[in-house]
Amino acid sequence: MGAERKDPTLGTADAYRPPAANLEFAAPPRDDAVAIREAHIGHERQLKSVGLLFGLGAVMMLLTLVAVLMPGVDGGPGNARQLAGVVGGGVLIGLLAAAAGALAYGYRTLSPWVKYIGTPVSMLGLLAIPVGTLIHAYILYLLWCEKGRRVLAADYAAIIQATPQVRYKRTVGDWIALALLLLLVVGLAAMLLFA
């Protein structure tokens, strides 16, 4: 009983026990969903921008499909072969446009399945040296890094629904990238119209 002594004001006190008072001055605890969403909102935006990229690709393929089907078929001796080529090319371009549109939807809605479809597509895109390699390597990073796996997890949609007040704050770089993207789209449209 040498460690225990009677204190006239506090009662029995143990000299070796740490104080029982909470001495931390931390911020009040925040809602876990809000904290998770704020930590991952930038990554959400990056994955959604990949969806925009695939959506633009789908639109460009549809314009290509129209360009393939517009000339029609000449009425010459190779008519059947030409028709088969036009139809085959149109079907292939249509399927590619549909696949790009589905990927765009998956990325824009942050669907968990996009990770498993987008990975082989981006692995094939690595073969498009040099620009495609850089873009698709970045997409693979976005899909499989720690934040990407969390954003594309099955329970993350519930976090998004529970935190509608959390918004992405655009930076100056975002506005510059948007202006460059709009210039690129207008330039491509002008080339298609006046070519």
Side-chain angles (χ1 to χ4, degrees):
M1 273 207 179
E4 222 174 280
R5 61 187 163 86
K6 183 81 171 165
D7 189 335
T9 57
L10 300 174
T12 306
D14 182 4
Y16 297 106
R17 186 172 35 166
N22 183 6
L23 300 177
E24 293 182 20
F25 298 103
R30 299 178 62 201
D31 185 18
D32 282 342
V34 172
I36 290 171
R37 183 88 190 278
E38 285 179 350
H40 294 84
I41 191 88
H43 206 81
E44 282 180 34
R45 182 56 89 189
Q46 291 171 338
L47 283 169
K48 287 182 177 184
S49 68
V50 172
L52 179 65
L53 183 66
F54 275 100
L56 287 173
V59 168
M60 296 303 268
M61 284 184 230
L62 288 174
L63 291 174
T64 304
L65 179 63
V66 170
V68 165
L69 297 178
M70 284 295 283
V73 178
D74 293 335
N79 191 353
R81 184 176 296 185
Q82 187 179 10
L83 179 63
V86 169
V87 169
V91 168
L92 179 65
I93 293 170
L95 288 174
L96 288 174
L103 277 171
Y105 174 78
Y107 279 112
R108 296 294 293 172
T109 58
L110 302 174
S111 300
W113 59 263
V114 80
K115 188 170 31 174
Y116 304 109
I117 305 298
T119 297
V121 169
S122 288
M123 289 178 82
L124 283 173
L126 291 173
L127 299 174
I129 299 171
V131 177
T133 303
L134 294 174
I135 291 171
H136 287 284
Y138 182 64
I139 291 171
L140 286 170
Y141 165 75
L142 289 176
L143 287 173
W144 291 102
C145 72
E146 182 181 343
K147 285 186 176 184
R149 289 191 311 265
R150 182 66 185 114
V151 168
L152 295 174
D155 65 333
Y156 197 77
I159 292 173
I160 291 173
Q161 287 181 342
T163 57
Q165 73 276 13
V166 178
R167 301 271 182 205
Y168 178 74
K169 295 177 182 92
R170 293 194 185 275
T171 62
V172 174
D174 292 336
W175 291 110
I176 292 171
L178 180 63
L180 290 174
L181 181 66
L182 288 175
L183 284 173
L184 177 68
V185 169
V186 168
L188 287 173
M191 282 177 31
L192 288 172
L193 289 175
F194 299 114

